Every structure is written in C-alpha cells, then in structure tokens.
Amino acid sequence: MVDQSPATAAMSTSPPIPCGEKRHWWLSTKKVVEKYVKDARVMMSSREPGEITAALSLLDAALALSPRFELALEHKARCLLYLRRFKDVADMLQDYIPSYKMAAGSEDSSSGSSDNSSQQLSRERVKLLPSSNASSASLSFKCFSIFDLKKKVIAGLCKNCEKEGQWRYLVLGQACCHLGLMEDAMVLLQTGKRLSTAAFRRKSISWSEDSFSSANIPLPIAGDSTATTHNHLLQQPPPTESETITHLLAQIKLLLRRRTAALAALEAGLYTEAIRHFTKILEGRRPAPQSFLAECYMHRATAYSAAGRIAESIADCNRTLALDPSSIRALQTRASLFELIGCITDAVHDLEHVKLLFNSILRDRKLPGPAWKPQCVRYREIPGKLCTLTAKIQDLKKKIAMGDARNVDHYALIGIRRGCSRSELERAHLLLVLRHKPDRAISFVDRCEFADESDHDSVKDRARMSAVLLYRLIQKGYSAVMAAVAEEEEAEKQRRMAAQSLQDTAARVQQQHKQARVAEPECRPKPEIKPDLGAAGPMSSPLQLPGSGQDRAPDTRSGAGSVGPCGPVYQGVFCRDLAAVGNLLSQVGFNRPLSVKCEALSC
C-alpha cells in the first residue's frame, strides 16, 4: 500500500536532494519514493556489494517517506539477504516467524489471564430488553469484540493481496535457514513456494502456447564472436530463485530428519545410536548454520554424558559455548560434569558465569539475544533458579575449603576402570589425544556457516582456549593414572618376588627333609651281630679288618673273637649299601682279602 500524503508533507519529510538535482514543487512524495526505488533496483542489478549498500541507503530514504511501501520493503529485504545480514531480515519481518508468533501468543495468554476472563464476560449474550414473554429470547443481542472484527477484516484483505506478500515468506525463510531456525524456515519456504506456484498458475492462464515454447529464445548467429559465450550460458544457466529454494528445502528436510532420529534414540536410551546420528549432522559435507550446530553439539553432549564418556561430553559443551557464549544449558551441563569428576573449582567457575547471566537478565528485564531467538529458560523462572544456584555455589565453596577439590576422579575423565593395565590406559589416552588435540579440536569451525562472518575469529579463539584447557586436564589425568598403574605394577612385582622366595624356601625345606629321611638309616646305630663260632662249618671264613685291635691281641674276655689262619675274624654288621662299604674300606687303606662268614650274609 502506498501512502498518498499531501505535497506539503512530502516537502517537509523528504530527505535532502543533491545540489545538482533540481526539485520541482509539483513533485509529490509518491514520485520521490518511486524514483528512489527505481534507482535502487538499477543498483541491485549489478550484484556488487558497494552498489547494493548504496541501494539500501536509497531504500531507507524511501521507507522514511512511505514506511509501508511494499516494493521498497521487498527490495530492502533482498538487499539485506544478499549482504548476509540475516539478523536484520529477521528483525524486520519477525512478525511472520511462526515460532515467534506462538511464543508471543503463549506469553500473552499467560500474562493476560485476567483480561481474557473479562473478554469472555463481554462476549456472553446480554439481554438488553426485559424478558416479559416467551418471545423475549428473539430480542437478545450478542456482544462481540472489535479486535476480533478487525482481525477478520485484515485477514480478508491479506487474502486479496496474497500475491503481493509472497516474497516475505521466501526471503524470511532463507534468512531463518541461515540463522538455524530450521522448522520456521521449512514452513516459510513451503508456504512461499506454494503461493508463488499458485500466482504463476493464475498468471499463466492468460498466456498463449507460444509463451512456453523455446522459439522465443534468441539463437546466436553463426560466426558471431559471442556464440561460444552464449552457448556456455545456455548450458550452465544461473540457478533461479525457485531452484535455490528447492535445494534449500531438501537440505533442511535432511537435517531435520536426522535430528529427529537422533532425539528419538536419545529419549529411548539408545545413546550410541543417538551419537551416531548427531555425528552425521555435525560432520556432514555441507556446512550447517551456527545455532543449529550449537544445538546439535549440546544434544550430543547429553548423549555422551549418559553413555559415561565424560571427556567427549565436556568437549561438546566447549564447542557449544564457543558457538554460543550465552548458552545457559551448556554452562550448567559442563558444571555438573566437572562436579562429577571432582573438578569443583571449574564447576564453581561455570556456575558463577550462569549467575552473572541470570543477574543481567533480571537487570535488563529481557532474555539474551533477539526476541525471535529460542530460549531454554523463561523469564519468570529465573528468580527461583537464581536462589537455587546461589545455594549450590555456597555448598561447593565449602567443599573447596574442606580440601575436597583435590580428589579428582581421573579414571572417569579418561573413561577407564580402576585397576586397568598399562596397555588399556595407553590406548584410551591415545584416542583422547587424537580427538581433543587443540589443533584438531577447532576444525569444526570450518564446517560452520556463520550468520556474521566477523564471528569466525572469535569463535576460533574461544574453541582453542577451551580445547587447550581440556587437553591439559586429560594430560594431568593420564600422568596421575600412569603413576598409580606404575605403583600397582611395582607392588605386583614385589608380591610376585615374595611369593617366589616363599616357594623357593619351601622347596629347599622339602629337599632337606627328603635328604634327612634318606640319610637317617645310615646314621642310625645297628645292633652288633655275633656269629656263632662253634657252629661254624667248613664254609666259614674269618673277616679281618686292619686298624682294629684284634689283629694285635685277641679278645680274651669273651669268646666272640677267634684267630684264623689269615688273621682275626671281624664280627661286623652287614650293610646293604655297597658304596658305603667301599667308602669305609678306602678310608682305612684296606687292600687285603677278607675272611667272610657265609652265615653273616643272610638278610
């Protein structure tokens, strides 16, 4: 709709015109606006950033004269979209964002409950005349709201000018896609595509068949120097807006389908499956919007935490905070993870950051970020959460004062069991180092599509800083666990040596017992066998040993000894071990024949 103000108002509100341009008094505001829009359209056709910026300033001047001029609004939105100022597009057309309208409607319904009750009372049937008879019911009237009537009239007008407003859905849908509002982008793009298709169908009814034939395309002349260029343009024509919207819708649907499958697996407790689906989104070939990636990293951090992989969960929280520094959910999740492994100082630091965000929200009386940005917390819930957060911070500070901050569970951080072997520790540490090395931990920034290119360096710096802190924590945990494993191995070695020494001692004692049992019959004194000399027969022969006193003088005190022809007879004991006998004989140097009685050889 074009504002048709009087000429005097146009002269007072129109921007100054350069000195070289003469302005006539009969030039109305409408003609000035149309001239600005025409010049801006010419500048936009060049597709150069400088020209588009100049066209944007002209459109601002036109909108200052006529704020509701439809063509100026469309060209301004397209200029902002071409300059990648997606937030400005969303701020300009935020009333058309579905999620923003739903949130605003819910806030209005919750805040204006008393107003709704009064409106319900006003909409009831009120009888203006007393009911004196039965026909008084026909005299009753129904009160209605002027606001509802206004909405219906405006809706009817919008249906009539639906063709004029279809650009809002297409331009805003593309901006929402780049801002990470995927559901809103899909709804807006589908609506805009449907409206544009219907408008084209209505327009093409009056066309002839020749309008759709390829004969209207000018063919190049043979031998013309521009023939090759024209053929190249025919072979690779630039994508139209409809083709761009179609490709964008396909990408949005793919991302939403994968995220839906990942969230379903997460709710069902299939954490490995959820991690796999989120990884497909985060490591895709095509870059994804910044806020959408931050949301997916946050969901994957939740899945990692539920699966017991603390280091990976902390790393995803770090990436989320690098992409969105004011993410309250990421700060609270990382604080709980630090508290779980015993890093109470880091947990207090994150909770203090959340407390500062809560205080700033209460001070500014609004949530951080633009109005159309989805929030994980409501404004009316912040005072209660702030009290709970303050009490928790005080409890953690008491633990730090008691010295509990030194009891860090490095096993849970690395993801290994207590009493693990050296090979298990080295394998887990190698995997963590390869994943969370600072140079590699910031590679996700290259797969991110930023709404503002100036955020690239700041996001990279935040990601590098948090990656370095996590890497140092992992290295510290590895050193502590490796020292514990070395102590355990040394203790195990000492235990093995002690057990081996006990076994050797027991073996020696057993061997000594065996030798003692073998040598016991040799050392035991044997009873002296005295052969009966009177009963000696012709086969008897005396046993004579040198060194004995019997070879010098016979024993006259008893009749046990007798002297034979070869010397005295030795009445000894038979020994079963011939080696012992030979040893005894060699010790005395005996080299003469023995006189042996056969009776003494009986066993």
Side-chain angles (χ1 to χ4, degrees), residues 126 182 356 500:
V126 180
M182 293 300 182
L356 289 176
Q500 186 66 28

Side-chain angles (χ1 to χ4, degrees), residues 255-272:
L255 293 176
L256 289 179
R257 191 161 53 244
R258 286 181 174 176
R259 192 185 68 174
T260 303
L263 291 176
L266 183 60
E267 293 178 359
L270 305 175
Y271 304 119
T272 305

Side-chain angles (χ1 to χ4, degrees), residues 126-145:
V126 180
K127 294 185 177 182
L128 302 179
L129 297 177
S131 57
S132 59
N133 49 16
S135 63
S136 61
S138 61
L139 300 176
S140 62
F141 294 89
K142 183 178 180 181
C143 296
F144 57 89
S145 175

